[in-house]
Amino acid sequence: MKNLLDSLGPVCAVIGAQWGDEGKGKIIDILAEHFDVIARACGGANAGHTIVVKGKKHVFHLLPAGSLHEGKPVILGSGMVIHLPTLLEEIRTLKEAGIDIVPRLLISEGAHIVLEYYKEIDGVMEEWRAKEKGGKIGTTKRGIGPAYMEKAARTGIRMGDLKRAFAGAAGDLKSMLRWKADIAQRQYGVTVDLDAEWDALKQAHDVIGGCIGPMTILFKLLHVDGKRILIEGAQATLLDLDHGTYPYVTSSQTTAAGALQGLGLPPRVLTSCIGVAKAYCTRVGEGTFATEETGKIGERLRERGGEYGATTGRPRRCGWLSLQDLVFSALINGFTHWNITKLDVLDEEGEIPVGIAPKEDGAMNYQKLAGWKASTKGMRSFKDLPPNARKYVEFIEERTHIPASFIGTGPGREDMIVR
Ligand code: IMP
């Protein structure tokens, strides 16, 4: 383990290789102990990971999964869009469990704020898509698209604006809000409750106003203080705005390059990049999914893998692993290691098809690998795995030329093979 951790170097990114929900939280939790700073770069409350605080399960959307590691600075980067009441709720949950994250929380002044009414616009746009564009995206309705639209239009409100507003420039922010409310009404028929929006901003400023600052802090932490930085990716590669299955994607950059951009870190500081992929595949929301199983097999994978969305509770679409997608994600991100998760979910399968490449008619060409029909649950050593389970992992390694250094064998923190 020590050699492996040393090989990750001072800046490591953990990136989802499929459509999200690969189980990034567990590897983050394991690695966070060995890094000094935990940073989240992009996305917003569309993400969701379950955190166990003092024996009680909570779903967190904004704070990174590594936040529980006491004493480590937690960074929310410029690429993020932050719904302030959600952030306050997460801070409160931690505080009730005796963890005060505020003194070690650093929020980029460039991160955008998701106002409450953005969620309504998100809903209105989904209705339009359903009626007039042939179908919805199936967004999380957390206002993510509208927040990034405002960012690209340069009409967004950023954390730095919040800080300035309560340091004496409230008038500017109030008039900006009025102008935006007018547009929301005229363009989307959404009525904005300006008083409620203002109250939410004020309440947030009271709690986290002191956390807002420039992202150059990361340079200091890395280069002056010699700290190791763990970058926690959100969503996943195939949902990337530029490289994913557009238009069925999220509105942010979900790749390693996107994460560096979101944190203001130069690409060459990245020393390792762990691609996280389920041993099979899932997707929430609409869009292509060539290896999807819509019948009994899909149901079986869903039940065995507990595949229901952490953010929306939606049943996830399930299917087989697509090698083609893994190769694509590995190339786009420059993965140095794999974390293959939930191998145990395949324990009962007699034969395991792996999608190799689509045929001309769009159907998938599969290579069928033999199943192992034995429990791998909780295994912690690669050599103890049934031979066919080892072959399955080795098949992924050989075809992608990337070592599977971490293999998940169950939901518990300890259920992980580290090679
Ligand atoms: P949005 O990010 O809410 O706009 O949703 C766009 C698409 O990304 C939808 O298909 C969502 O289901 C999907 N999505 C966004 N965030 C996540 C995530 O954290 N896990 C899985 N899917 C996500």
Side-chain angles (χ1 to χ4, degrees):
M1 176 88 165
K2 170 137 189 353
N3 286 352
L4 176 59
L5 289 169
D6 286 346
S7 78
L8 298 178
V11 185
C12 172
V14 175
I15 302 289
Q18 295 155 323
W19 280 290
D21 311 310
E22 293 91 351
K24 296 180 278 294
K26 191 157 86 173
I27 180 83
I28 292 283
D29 192 30
I30 293 170
L31 293 180
E33 254 179 53
H34 307 276
F35 282 79
D36 307 304
V37 179
I38 319 295
R40 182 170 164 192
C42 298
N46 46 352
H49 44 257
T50 306
I51 288 193
V52 181
V53 189
K54 300 259 156 85
K56 209 171 148 207
K57 276 190 184 174
H58 299 276
V59 178
F60 276 26
H61 302 283
L62 289 165
L63 290 175
S67 302
L68 287 189
H69 292 258
E70 293 274 7
K72 311 212 174 198
V74 169
I75 314 262
L76 303 183
S78 305
M80 284 191 72
V81 292
I82 299 175
H83 181 248
L84 295 169
T86 303
L87 181 60
L88 291 198
E89 181 60 33
E90 293 178 8
I91 290 172
R92 209 168 17 244
T93 302
L94 286 183
K95 192 141 199 190
E96 278 165 15
I99 301 168
D100 185 7
I101 196 169
V102 172
R104 58 188 172 92
L105 181 63
L106 298 155
I107 307 175
S108 171
E109 56 198 8
H112 278 249
I113 294 172
V114 176
L115 296 168
E116 198 60 37
Y117 76 88
Y118 289 4
K119 294 188 199 167
E120 275 185 65
I121 296 183
D122 201 343
V124 169
M125 292 186 75
E126 281 286 77
E127 278 167 32
W128 288 352
R129 288 183 192 112
K131 264 197 240 135
E132 286 150 40
K133 208 179 152 274
K136 314 193 265 192
I137 291 177
T139 72
T140 59
K141 302 233 177 97
R142 296 295 193 270
I144 304 300
Y148 283 108
M149 269 160 45
E150 297 287 295
K151 174 176 175 170
R154 292 146 295 170
T155 51
I157 293 177
R158 309 203 297 172
M159 296 303 296
D161 298 320
L162 181 70
K163 199 169 172 177
R164 275 186 292 280
F166 292 97
D172 290 352
L173 186 52
K174 280 192 170 161
S175 75
M176 180 72 170
L177 276 174
R178 276 195 297 274
W179 179 72
K180 285 163 73 72
D182 187 39
I183 293 176
Q185 182 73 62
R186 282 192 278 145
Q187 209 162 340
Y188 303 99
V190 167
T191 304
V192 181
D193 184 340
L194 280 170
D195 290 336
E197 295 286 4
W198 187 258
D199 282 352
L201 291 173
K202 161 115 188 39
Q203 277 177 33
H205 182 265
D206 288 348
V207 179
I208 47 130
C211 304
I212 303 166
M215 270 302 82
T216 43
I217 181 81
L218 272 172
F219 288 100
K220 181 177 173 295
L221 287 166
L222 180 66
H223 294 302
V224 181
D225 304 339
K227 302 288 186 199
R228 297 182 85 195
I229 299 172
L230 182 63
I231 301 174
E232 186 171 322
Q235 289 77 45
T237 307
L238 304 178
L239 288 173
D240 183 80
L241 180 61
D242 295 317
H243 304 290
T245 49
Y246 189 91
Y248 301 99
V249 293
T250 190
S251 301
S252 59
Q253 276 72 26
T254 58
T255 56
L260 291 162
Q261 167 71 4
L263 290 167
L265 283 172
R268 66 183 176 151
V269 301
L270 193 68
T271 43
S272 57
C273 185
I274 300 174
V276 187
K278 267 181 203 164
Y280 50 102
C281 194
T282 64
R283 175 164 204 175
V284 226
E286 306 305 317
T288 174
F289 182 176
T291 56
E292 181 173 13
E293 288 289 339
T294 50
K296 286 226 153 45
I297 298 174
E299 267 171 45
R300 192 164 72 222
L301 291 172
R302 186 175 310 115
E303 289 318 310
R304 291 220 180 110
E307 297 295 355
Y308 295 89
T311 298
T312 58
R314 290 181 286 180
R316 296 179 183 141
R317 299 159 63 192
C318 295
W320 302 116
L321 189 72
S322 161
L323 193 68
Q324 196 191 29
D325 289 343
L326 294 196
V327 170
F328 174 78
S329 288
L331 292 176
I332 289 280
N333 292 290
F335 291 148
T336 53
H337 306 71
W338 283 119
N339 171 201
I340 305 296
T341 63
K342 296 182 124 177
L343 185 69
D344 57 300
V345 172
L346 299 179
D347 281 353
E348 297 304 317
E349 301 297 329
E351 197 173 52
I352 308 173
V354 176
I356 303 296
K359 299 180 198 163
E360 262 177 33
D361 63 2
M364 183 51 84
N365 255 320
Y366 287 98
Q367 178 160 343
K368 291 188 174 155
L369 303 192
W372 43 93
K373 286 270 187 189
S375 174
T376 60
K377 212 169 204 98
M379 285 195 173
R380 301 188 59 191
S381 153
F382 190 69
K383 67 174 172 19
D384 292 344
L385 284 177
N388 285 346
R390 287 205 300 266
K391 280 190 194 146
Y392 188 75
V393 174
E394 282 161 357
F395 177 78
I396 297 170
E397 295 185 308
E398 279 157 22
R399 295 300 190 95
T400 58
H401 306 287
I402 294 165
S405 304
F406 305 89
I407 302 160
T409 55
R413 189 178 187 275
E414 330 59 47
D415 303 335
M416 180 81 91
I417 295 170
V418 181
R419 294 159 81 201

